[in-house]
């Protein structure tokens, strides 16, 4: 089952790992592995990438960053194949993502000449970029006929646990999610308060927007690492964030509620 109806599907530049993720998930469909096990696995891949950066093995770090993106897509695929949607997995995935983003950037700061504050600003920029992408994408998924509604447009209260998961686990992970993502969500919502009223986003717009997807962001980091341009990573994402205002302006000008 796709996240979107056929007419809403677009070329997602951040989702390049999906074909391999589907193969991986299909290999696990008849095993005892759960989507949460796969989520833990992408966390391990991210930690290995961090270790490789610390050892100055940048090309190898790039490999594990890309691998992390592929595995990151596989947990959702496995959930759909096994028909086991989970708020626990949804929030755990997001919390792991932001922790790994922070650790990867701080590791880059540690081994390069980039200052802490430039790196921290780059982290904020990356999260705002990703939040804009997720904001519009979740709106599209919720408005798409038969789309995936596990993620809500406004995450203002803990959802009711789905069959097979603990309400307590969902509540705890929701609180953590709210703490680490809440500020970014509020900023993006404030910048485009009317976006949720849009019935659908054109495929061309979503494809452009997908350059802010986590997979594409990690691809950029991997490419710069493999080219031994580690000191360019933080400044690049700070400058890259100015496209946020361009994309919001395009939405307001051409995609009306």
């Amino acid at each position: 089952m796709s996240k979107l109806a056929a007419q809403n599907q677009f070329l997602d530049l951040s989702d390049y790992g999906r074909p391999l993720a589907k193969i991986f998930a299909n290999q696990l469909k008849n095993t005892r592995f759960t989507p949460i096990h796969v989520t833990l696995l992408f966390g391990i891949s991210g930690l290995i990438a961090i270790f490789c950066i610390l050892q100055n093995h940048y090309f190898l770090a790039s490999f594990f960053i890309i691998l992390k993106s592929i595995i990151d897509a596989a947990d959702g695929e496995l959930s759909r194949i096994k028909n086991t949607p989970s708020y626990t997995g949804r929030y755990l995935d997001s919390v792991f993502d932001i922790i790994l983003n922070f650790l990867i950037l701080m590791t880059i700061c540690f081994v390069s000449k980039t200052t802490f504050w430039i790196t921290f600003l780059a982290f904020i920029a990356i999260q705002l970029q990703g939040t804009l992408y997720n904001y519009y994408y979740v709106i599209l998924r919720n408005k798409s006929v038969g789309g995936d509604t596990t993620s809500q447009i406004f995450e203002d209260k803990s959802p009711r646990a789905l069959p097979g998961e603990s309400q307590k686990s969902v509540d705890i992970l929701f609180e953590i999610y709210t703490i680490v993502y809440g500020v970014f969500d509020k900023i993006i919502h404030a910048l485009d308060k009317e976006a949720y009223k849009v019935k659908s986003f054109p495929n061309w717009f979503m494809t452009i927007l997908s350059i802010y997807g986590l997979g594409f962001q990690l691809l950029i980091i991997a490419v710069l690492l493999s080219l031994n341009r580690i000191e360019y990573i933080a400044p690049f994402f700070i400058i890259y964030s100015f496209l946020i205002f361009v994309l919001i302006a395009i939405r307001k000008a051409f995609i009306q509620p």
Side-chain angles (χ1 to χ4, degrees):
M1 183 180 68
S2 174
K3 292 181 179 181
L4 296 166
Q7 67 270 21
N8 297 126
Q9 292 179 18
F10 60 96
L11 176 61
D12 190 341
L13 300 176
S14 72
D15 205 24
Y16 51 84
R18 186 68 56 179
L20 289 176
K22 287 182 177 179
I23 294 172
F24 181 45
N26 274 298
Q27 295 301 310
L28 298 177
K29 66 180 179 180
N30 295 319
T31 70
R32 298 178 67 180
F33 277 89
T34 68
I36 290 179
H37 289 141
V38 179
T39 300
L40 295 173
L41 187 59
F42 90 62
I44 292 171
S45 182
L47 292 176
I48 294 173
I50 289 168
F51 176 77
C52 291
I53 295 171
L54 287 171
Q55 299 300 312
N56 297 318
H57 299 314
Y58 297 153
F59 190 83
L60 196 57
S62 299
F63 169 80
F64 281 104
I65 286 173
I66 298 301
L67 181 62
K68 183 262 182 193
S69 291
I70 295 171
I71 300 173
D72 196 357
D75 56 3
E77 286 297 328
L78 186 59
S79 177
R80 282 183 283 278
I81 289 171
K82 290 194 171 189
N83 194 26
T84 54
S86 165
Y87 288 113
T88 302
R90 177 256 188 274
Y91 292 127
L92 188 64
D93 185 298
S94 296
V95 170
F96 270 23
D97 278 334
I98 195 169
I99 291 173
L100 287 172
N101 284 352
F102 182 78
L103 291 177
I104 288 171
L105 284 173
M106 288 303 131
T107 305
I108 288 170
C109 175
F110 181 76
V111 301
S112 70
K113 297 178 181 179
T114 312
T115 66
F116 170 80
W117 289 111
I118 290 294
T119 306
F120 186 73
L121 188 58
F123 169 74
I124 299 298
I126 284 175
Q127 293 310 130
L128 287 173
Q129 294 162 24
T131 300
L132 181 69
Y133 170 73
N134 288 327
Y135 180 40
Y136 289 158
Y137 191 22
V138 170
I139 291 170
L140 180 63
R141 282 159 58 180
N142 276 264
K143 300 290 180 70
S144 181
V145 177
D148 179 9
T149 57
T150 305
S151 298
Q152 297 299 309
I153 299 172
F154 299 106
E155 300 278 2
D156 51 5
K157 63 179 180 178
S158 180
R160 179 176 297 179
L162 295 169
E165 63 179 348
S166 161
Q167 184 65 55
K168 184 176 181 180
S169 296
V170 172
D171 291 343
I172 291 172
L173 285 168
F174 174 78
E175 289 301 324
I176 296 172
Y177 173 89
T178 302
I179 290 169
V180 297
Y181 283 101
V183 173
F184 304 113
D185 287 343
K186 285 181 173 62
I187 291 172
I188 293 301
H189 293 164
L191 290 173
D192 194 356
K193 295 178 181 178
E194 303 297 310
Y196 74 95
K197 296 180 181 179
V198 173
K199 294 182 179 179
S200 184
F201 295 104
N203 293 348
W204 60 264
F205 178 74
M206 293 303 300
T207 294
I208 295 172
L209 182 67
S210 69
I211 63 173
Y212 272 172
L214 179 57
F216 199 79
Q217 291 172 326
L218 291 177
L219 179 62
I220 292 170
I221 292 174
V223 168
L224 290 174
L225 280 173
S226 64
L227 295 174
N228 201 28
R229 294 293 184 267
I230 191 169
E231 70 279 3
Y232 293 173
I233 293 173
F236 172 84
F237 281 104
I238 293 171
I239 296 170
Y240 197 47
S241 64
F242 285 101
L243 283 174
I244 289 174
F245 303 100
V246 175
L247 289 166
I248 291 175
I250 291 173
R251 201 291 298 164
K252 291 181 177 180
F254 300 105
I255 310 167
Q256 300 295 326

Short mmCIF file of all heavy atoms in Angstrom, two decimals, residues 1-5 8 76 79-80 83-88 90-91 134-162 165 170 174 177:
data_model
loop_
_atom_site.label_atom_id
_atom_site.label_comp_id
_atom_site.label_asym_id
_atom_site.label_seq_id
_atom_site.Cartn_x
_atom_site.Cartn_y
_atom_site.Cartn_z
N MET A 1 0.84 -1.20 0.00
CA MET A 1 0.00 0.00 0.00
C MET A 1 0.87 1.24 0.00
O MET A 1 1.79 1.38 0.79
CB MET A 1 -0.91 0.01 1.22
CG MET A 1 -1.86 1.19 1.27
SD MET A 1 -2.92 1.16 2.72
CE MET A 1 -1.72 1.47 4.01
N SER A 2 0.59 2.17 -0.92
CA SER A 2 1.38 3.39 -1.04
C SER A 2 0.90 4.42 -0.02
O SER A 2 -0.21 4.38 0.48
CB SER A 2 1.24 3.95 -2.46
OG SER A 2 1.88 5.20 -2.57
N LYS A 3 1.79 5.38 0.27
CA LYS A 3 1.42 6.46 1.18
C LYS A 3 0.43 7.42 0.52
O LYS A 3 -0.26 8.17 1.21
CB LYS A 3 2.67 7.24 1.59
CG LYS A 3 3.64 6.48 2.47
CD LYS A 3 4.81 7.37 2.84
CE LYS A 3 5.82 6.65 3.73
NZ LYS A 3 6.95 7.52 4.10
N LEU A 4 0.40 7.41 -0.82
CA LEU A 4 -0.42 8.37 -1.56
C LEU A 4 -1.26 7.66 -2.62
O LEU A 4 -0.90 6.59 -3.12
CB LEU A 4 0.49 9.39 -2.26
CG LEU A 4 1.34 10.32 -1.39
CD1 LEU A 4 2.39 11.00 -2.23
CD2 LEU A 4 0.46 11.35 -0.69
N ALA A 5 -2.37 8.29 -2.97
CA ALA A 5 -3.15 7.81 -4.11
C ALA A 5 -2.34 7.99 -5.38
O ALA A 5 -1.42 8.83 -5.44
CB ALA A 5 -4.46 8.60 -4.20
N ASN A 8 -1.56 11.40 -6.83
CA ASN A 8 -0.76 12.30 -5.99
C ASN A 8 0.70 11.89 -5.88
O ASN A 8 1.49 12.58 -5.24
CB ASN A 8 -1.35 12.39 -4.58
CG ASN A 8 -2.75 12.96 -4.55
OD1 ASN A 8 -3.67 12.37 -4.01
ND2 ASN A 8 -2.92 14.13 -5.15
N GLY A 76 9.19 1.56 7.26
CA GLY A 76 7.83 1.87 6.82
C GLY A 76 7.31 0.86 5.81
O GLY A 76 6.13 0.49 5.84
N SER A 79 6.32 -2.22 7.63
CA SER A 79 5.06 -1.97 8.33
C SER A 79 3.87 -2.13 7.40
O SER A 79 2.84 -2.71 7.76
CB SER A 79 5.07 -0.57 8.95
OG SER A 79 3.84 -0.29 9.58
N ARG A 80 4.00 -1.62 6.17
CA ARG A 80 2.91 -1.74 5.21
C ARG A 80 2.74 -3.18 4.71
O ARG A 80 1.62 -3.66 4.55
CB ARG A 80 3.14 -0.78 4.03
CG ARG A 80 2.79 0.67 4.38
CD ARG A 80 2.97 1.59 3.20
NE ARG A 80 4.36 1.91 2.95
CZ ARG A 80 5.04 2.85 3.61
NH1 ARG A 80 4.46 3.54 4.57
NH2 ARG A 80 6.30 3.09 3.32
N ASN A 83 1.22 -5.07 7.39
CA ASN A 83 -0.01 -4.41 7.83
C ASN A 83 -0.01 -4.20 9.35
O ASN A 83 -0.96 -4.54 10.05
CB ASN A 83 -1.24 -5.22 7.41
CG ASN A 83 -2.54 -4.42 7.54
OD1 ASN A 83 -2.52 -3.18 7.48
ND2 ASN A 83 -3.65 -5.12 7.73
N THR A 84 1.11 -3.63 9.82
CA THR A 84 1.25 -3.36 11.26
C THR A 84 1.60 -1.89 11.48
O THR A 84 2.72 -1.57 11.91
CB THR A 84 2.34 -4.26 11.87
OG1 THR A 84 3.57 -4.09 11.12
CG2 THR A 84 1.94 -5.72 11.87
N PRO A 85 0.68 -0.97 11.17
CA PRO A 85 0.96 0.45 11.43
C PRO A 85 1.20 0.66 12.91
O PRO A 85 0.62 -0.03 13.75
CB PRO A 85 -0.31 1.15 10.94
CG PRO A 85 -1.37 0.10 11.02
CD PRO A 85 -0.69 -1.20 10.69
N SER A 86 2.05 1.62 13.24
CA SER A 86 2.43 1.81 14.64
C SER A 86 2.82 3.25 14.90
O SER A 86 3.69 3.80 14.20
CB SER A 86 3.60 0.87 14.98
OG SER A 86 4.21 1.23 16.18
N TYR A 87 2.19 3.86 15.89
CA TYR A 87 2.61 5.19 16.31
C TYR A 87 3.94 5.11 17.04
O TYR A 87 4.76 6.04 16.96
CB TYR A 87 1.55 5.82 17.21
CG TYR A 87 0.31 6.24 16.47
CD1 TYR A 87 -0.90 5.60 16.69
CD2 TYR A 87 0.36 7.29 15.54
CE1 TYR A 87 -2.05 5.99 15.99
CE2 TYR A 87 -0.77 7.68 14.85
CZ TYR A 87 -1.98 7.02 15.09
OH TYR A 87 -3.09 7.40 14.39
N THR A 88 4.18 4.01 17.73
CA THR A 88 5.46 3.82 18.42
C THR A 88 6.60 3.89 17.41
O THR A 88 7.59 4.60 17.61
CB THR A 88 5.49 2.46 19.15
OG1 THR A 88 4.41 2.40 20.07
CG2 THR A 88 6.80 2.27 19.88
N ARG A 90 6.48 5.17 14.37
CA ARG A 90 6.49 6.47 13.71
C ARG A 90 7.25 7.51 14.52
O ARG A 90 8.10 8.23 14.01
CB ARG A 90 5.03 6.91 13.47
CG ARG A 90 4.89 8.31 12.84
CD ARG A 90 4.47 9.30 13.90
NE ARG A 90 4.15 10.59 13.34
CZ ARG A 90 5.02 11.55 13.09
NH1 ARG A 90 6.29 11.34 13.29
NH2 ARG A 90 4.64 12.73 12.66
N TYR A 91 6.99 7.56 15.84
CA TYR A 91 7.67 8.53 16.68
C TYR A 91 9.13 8.14 16.95
O TYR A 91 10.01 9.00 16.99
CB TYR A 91 6.92 8.72 18.00
CG TYR A 91 5.58 9.40 17.83
CD1 TYR A 91 4.42 8.84 18.34
CD2 TYR A 91 5.48 10.62 17.17
CE1 TYR A 91 3.19 9.46 18.19
CE2 TYR A 91 4.25 11.25 17.00
CZ TYR A 91 3.11 10.66 17.51
OH TYR A 91 1.90 11.29 17.33
N ASN A 134 8.05 17.90 5.51
CA ASN A 134 7.11 17.01 6.19
C ASN A 134 5.73 17.66 6.35
O ASN A 134 4.70 16.98 6.25
CB ASN A 134 7.66 16.60 7.56
CG ASN A 134 8.82 15.63 7.44
OD1 ASN A 134 8.86 14.82 6.53
ND2 ASN A 134 9.77 15.72 8.36
N TYR A 135 5.72 18.96 6.60
CA TYR A 135 4.46 19.68 6.78
C TYR A 135 3.59 19.55 5.53
O TYR A 135 2.43 19.11 5.59
CB TYR A 135 4.77 21.15 7.07
CG TYR A 135 3.59 22.06 7.29
CD1 TYR A 135 2.47 21.65 8.01
CD2 TYR A 135 3.61 23.37 6.81
CE1 TYR A 135 1.40 22.51 8.23
CE2 TYR A 135 2.55 24.23 7.02
CZ TYR A 135 1.44 23.80 7.73
OH TYR A 135 0.39 24.66 7.96
N TYR A 136 4.16 19.90 4.37
CA TYR A 136 3.40 19.82 3.13
C TYR A 136 3.09 18.37 2.76
O TYR A 136 2.00 18.06 2.27
CB TYR A 136 4.16 20.50 2.00
CG TYR A 136 4.24 22.01 2.09
CD1 TYR A 136 5.24 22.71 1.43
CD2 TYR A 136 3.32 22.75 2.83
CE1 TYR A 136 5.32 24.09 1.49
CE2 TYR A 136 3.39 24.13 2.91
CZ TYR A 136 4.39 24.80 2.23
OH TYR A 136 4.46 26.17 2.30
N TYR A 137 4.06 17.48 2.99
CA TYR A 137 3.88 16.08 2.61
C TYR A 137 2.78 15.41 3.44
O TYR A 137 1.95 14.67 2.92
CB TYR A 137 5.21 15.34 2.77
CG TYR A 137 5.24 13.94 2.18
CD1 TYR A 137 4.35 13.54 1.18
CD2 TYR A 137 6.18 13.01 2.61
CE1 TYR A 137 4.40 12.28 0.63
CE2 TYR A 137 6.25 11.74 2.07
CZ TYR A 137 5.35 11.37 1.08
OH TYR A 137 5.39 10.12 0.54
N VAL A 138 2.76 15.71 4.73
CA VAL A 138 1.72 15.13 5.60
C VAL A 138 0.35 15.69 5.23
O VAL A 138 -0.65 14.96 5.25
CB VAL A 138 2.04 15.38 7.08
CG1 VAL A 138 0.86 15.00 7.97
CG2 VAL A 138 3.27 14.59 7.49
N ILE A 139 0.28 16.96 4.88
CA ILE A 139 -0.99 17.54 4.41
C ILE A 139 -1.47 16.77 3.18
O ILE A 139 -2.63 16.36 3.09
CB ILE A 139 -0.83 19.03 4.07
CG1 ILE A 139 -0.60 19.85 5.35
CG2 ILE A 139 -2.06 19.55 3.33
CD1 ILE A 139 -0.20 21.29 5.09
N LEU A 140 -0.55 16.54 2.24
CA LEU A 140 -0.91 15.83 1.02
C LEU A 140 -1.37 14.41 1.33
O LEU A 140 -2.37 13.93 0.79
CB LEU A 140 0.30 15.79 0.07
CG LEU A 140 0.09 15.07 -1.27
CD1 LEU A 140 -0.97 15.79 -2.10
CD2 LEU A 140 1.40 15.00 -2.05
N ARG A 141 -0.67 13.72 2.22
CA ARG A 141 -1.03 12.35 2.58
C ARG A 141 -2.40 12.28 3.25
O ARG A 141 -3.18 11.36 3.01
CB ARG A 141 0.05 11.75 3.48
CG ARG A 141 1.27 11.30 2.71
CD ARG A 141 2.50 11.20 3.58
NE ARG A 141 2.35 10.29 4.71
CZ ARG A 141 3.33 10.06 5.59
NH1 ARG A 141 4.50 10.66 5.46
NH2 ARG A 141 3.13 9.22 6.59
N ASN A 142 -2.68 13.25 4.09
CA ASN A 142 -3.97 13.26 4.78
C ASN A 142 -5.13 13.61 3.85
O ASN A 142 -6.27 13.19 4.09
CB ASN A 142 -3.93 14.22 5.97
CG ASN A 142 -3.33 13.60 7.22
OD1 ASN A 142 -4.05 13.10 8.09
ND2 ASN A 142 -2.01 13.59 7.31
N LYS A 143 -4.85 14.38 2.80
CA LYS A 143 -5.90 14.75 1.85
C LYS A 143 -6.03 13.75 0.71
O LYS A 143 -7.04 13.74 0.01
CB LYS A 143 -5.59 16.14 1.26
CG LYS A 143 -5.50 17.28 2.27
CD LYS A 143 -6.84 17.63 2.87
CE LYS A 143 -6.76 18.77 3.88
NZ LYS A 143 -6.47 20.07 3.26
N SER A 144 -5.01 12.92 0.52
CA SER A 144 -5.01 11.94 -0.58
C SER A 144 -5.94 10.78 -0.24
O SER A 144 -5.91 10.25 0.88
CB SER A 144 -3.59 11.43 -0.82
OG SER A 144 -3.56 10.50 -1.88
N VAL A 145 -6.77 10.36 -1.17
CA VAL A 145 -7.70 9.26 -0.96
C VAL A 145 -6.93 7.97 -0.68
O VAL A 145 -6.12 7.55 -1.50
CB VAL A 145 -8.63 9.06 -2.17
CG1 VAL A 145 -9.55 7.86 -1.95
CG2 VAL A 145 -9.43 10.32 -2.45
N GLY A 146 -7.15 7.40 0.50
CA GLY A 146 -6.45 6.17 0.85
C GLY A 146 -5.02 6.39 1.29
O GLY A 146 -4.25 5.44 1.43
N GLY A 147 -4.63 7.65 1.51
CA GLY A 147 -3.27 7.96 1.91
C GLY A 147 -2.96 7.55 3.34
O GLY A 147 -3.85 7.25 4.13
N ASP A 148 -1.68 7.54 3.67
CA ASP A 148 -1.22 7.17 5.01
C ASP A 148 -1.49 8.32 5.97
O ASP A 148 -0.99 9.43 5.79
CB ASP A 148 0.27 6.86 4.95
CG ASP A 148 0.86 6.49 6.30
OD1 ASP A 148 0.09 6.30 7.25
OD2 ASP A 148 2.09 6.40 6.40
N THR A 149 -2.29 8.05 7.01
CA THR A 149 -2.64 9.10 7.97
C THR A 149 -2.04 8.84 9.35
O THR A 149 -2.49 9.40 10.34
CB THR A 149 -4.18 9.21 8.10
OG1 THR A 149 -4.72 7.94 8.49
CG2 THR A 149 -4.80 9.64 6.79
N THR A 150 -1.01 7.99 9.42
CA THR A 150 -0.35 7.75 10.70
C THR A 150 0.23 9.05 11.25
O THR A 150 0.21 9.30 12.45
CB THR A 150 0.78 6.70 10.54
OG1 THR A 150 0.24 5.53 9.96
CG2 THR A 150 1.39 6.36 11.89
N SER A 151 0.76 9.90 10.35
CA SER A 151 1.25 11.22 10.74
C SER A 151 0.12 12.24 10.60
O SER A 151 -0.60 12.24 9.59
CB SER A 151 2.42 11.64 9.85
OG SER A 151 3.50 10.75 9.99
N GLN A 152 -0.04 13.07 11.60
CA GLN A 152 -1.09 14.09 11.60
C GLN A 152 -0.51 15.45 11.23
O GLN A 152 0.65 15.74 11.49
CB GLN A 152 -1.76 14.16 12.97
CG GLN A 152 -2.46 12.87 13.37
CD GLN A 152 -3.57 12.47 12.41
OE1 GLN A 152 -4.45 13.28 12.08
NE2 GLN A 152 -3.52 11.23 11.94
N ILE A 153 -1.35 16.29 10.63
CA ILE A 153 -0.90 17.63 10.24
C ILE A 153 -0.49 18.43 11.47
O ILE A 153 0.57 19.07 11.49
CB ILE A 153 -2.02 18.37 9.47
CG1 ILE A 153 -2.37 17.60 8.19
CG2 ILE A 153 -1.57 19.80 9.14
CD1 ILE A 153 -3.59 18.14 7.47
N PHE A 154 -1.31 18.37 12.50
CA PHE A 154 -1.00 19.06 13.75
C PHE A 154 -0.87 18.03 14.86
O PHE A 154 -1.85 17.40 15.25
CB PHE A 154 -2.08 20.08 14.10
CG PHE A 154 -2.24 21.15 13.05
CD1 PHE A 154 -3.33 21.15 12.20
CD2 PHE A 154 -1.30 22.15 12.92
CE1 PHE A 154 -3.48 22.13 11.23
CE2 PHE A 154 -1.43 23.14 11.95
CZ PHE A 154 -2.53 23.13 11.10
N GLU A 155 0.35 17.83 15.33
CA GLU A 155 0.62 16.84 16.38
C GLU A 155 0.41 17.53 17.74
O GLU A 155 1.36 17.92 18.41
CB GLU A 155 2.06 16.33 16.26
CG GLU A 155 2.38 15.65 14.93
CD GLU A 155 1.92 14.20 14.89
OE1 GLU A 155 1.33 13.73 15.89
OE2 GLU A 155 2.16 13.54 13.87
N ASP A 156 -0.87 17.69 18.12
CA ASP A 156 -1.17 18.43 19.35
C ASP A 156 -1.62 17.55 20.51
O ASP A 156 -1.78 18.03 21.64
CB ASP A 156 -2.22 19.51 19.09
CG ASP A 156 -3.45 18.95 18.38
OD1 ASP A 156 -3.52 17.72 18.17
OD2 ASP A 156 -4.34 19.75 18.03
N LYS A 157 -1.84 16.27 20.25
CA LYS A 157 -2.18 15.36 21.35
C LYS A 157 -1.76 13.94 20.99
O LYS A 157 -1.72 13.58 19.82
CB LYS A 157 -3.68 15.42 21.66
CG LYS A 157 -4.58 14.96 20.53
CD LYS A 157 -6.04 15.05 20.96
CE LYS A 157 -6.97 14.60 19.82
NZ LYS A 157 -8.38 14.64 20.21
N SER A 158 -1.47 13.18 22.02
CA SER A 158 -1.03 11.81 21.81
C SER A 158 -2.17 10.98 21.20
O SER A 158 -3.29 11.01 21.69
CB SER A 158 -0.59 11.19 23.14
OG SER A 158 -0.15 9.86 22.95
N PRO A 159 -1.89 10.26 20.11
CA PRO A 159 -2.95 9.45 19.48
C PRO A 159 -3.26 8.19 20.27
O PRO A 159 -2.47 7.77 21.12
CB PRO A 159 -2.33 9.11 18.11
CG PRO A 159 -0.86 9.07 18.38
CD PRO A 159 -0.62 10.15 19.40
N ARG A 160 -4.38 7.60 19.99
CA ARG A 160 -4.74 6.34 20.64
C ARG A 160 -3.90 5.22 20.04
O ARG A 160 -3.78 5.10 18.81
CB ARG A 160 -6.23 6.05 20.44
CG ARG A 160 -6.70 4.73 21.07
CD ARG A 160 -8.19 4.54 20.93
NE ARG A 160 -8.92 5.59 21.65
CZ ARG A 160 -10.25 5.66 21.68
NH1 ARG A 160 -10.97 4.78 21.00
NH2 ARG A 160 -10.85 6.63 22.37
N ALA A 161 -3.30 4.42 20.89
CA ALA A 161 -2.44 3.33 20.44
C ALA A 161 -3.18 2.39 19.51
O ALA A 161 -4.36 2.11 19.69
CB ALA A 161 -1.89 2.56 21.64
N LEU A 162 -2.46 1.92 18.48
CA LEU A 162 -3.03 0.96 17.55
C LEU A 162 -2.90 -0.45 18.11
O LEU A 162 -2.12 -0.68 19.05
CB LEU A 162 -2.30 1.08 16.20
CG LEU A 162 -2.50 2.42 15.48
CD1 LEU A 162 -1.53 2.53 14.31
CD2 LEU A 162 -3.93 2.57 15.00
N GLU A 165 0.32 -2.33 20.22
CA GLU A 165 1.29 -1.43 20.85
C GLU A 165 0.73 -0.87 22.15
O GLU A 165 -0.49 -0.82 22.36
CB GLU A 165 1.70 -0.31 19.90
CG GLU A 165 0.59 0.62 19.48
CD GLU A 165 1.07 1.72 18.55
OE1 GLU A 165 2.29 1.91 18.41
OE2 GLU A 165 0.21 2.41 17.96
N VAL A 170 3.37 4.88 23.41
CA VAL A 170 2.97 5.92 22.46
C VAL A 170 3.00 7.29 23.14
O VAL A 170 3.52 8.26 22.59
CB VAL A 170 1.56 5.63 21.89
CG1 VAL A 170 1.08 6.82 21.05
CG2 VAL A 170 1.58 4.37 21.05
N PHE A 174 5.47 10.26 22.14
CA PHE A 174 4.83 11.48 21.67
C PHE A 174 5.37 12.70 22.41
O PHE A 174 5.63 13.74 21.80
CB PHE A 174 3.31 11.39 21.84
CG PHE A 174 2.61 12.68 21.51
CD1 PHE A 174 2.38 13.05 20.19
CD2 PHE A 174 2.18 13.54 22.52
CE1 PHE A 174 1.74 14.25 19.89
CE2 PHE A 174 1.54 14.73 22.23
CZ PHE A 174 1.33 15.09 20.91
N TYR A 177 8.80 13.38 21.15
CA TYR A 177 8.67 13.95 19.81
C TYR A 177 8.28 15.43 19.88
O TYR A 177 8.84 16.28 19.18
CB TYR A 177 7.61 13.17 19.02
CG TYR A 177 7.28 13.77 17.68
CD1 TYR A 177 7.99 13.42 16.54
CD2 TYR A 177 6.25 14.72 17.55
CE1 TYR A 177 7.70 13.98 15.31
CE2 TYR A 177 5.95 15.28 16.33
CZ TYR A 177 6.68 14.91 15.20
OH TYR A 177 6.39 15.49 13.99
#
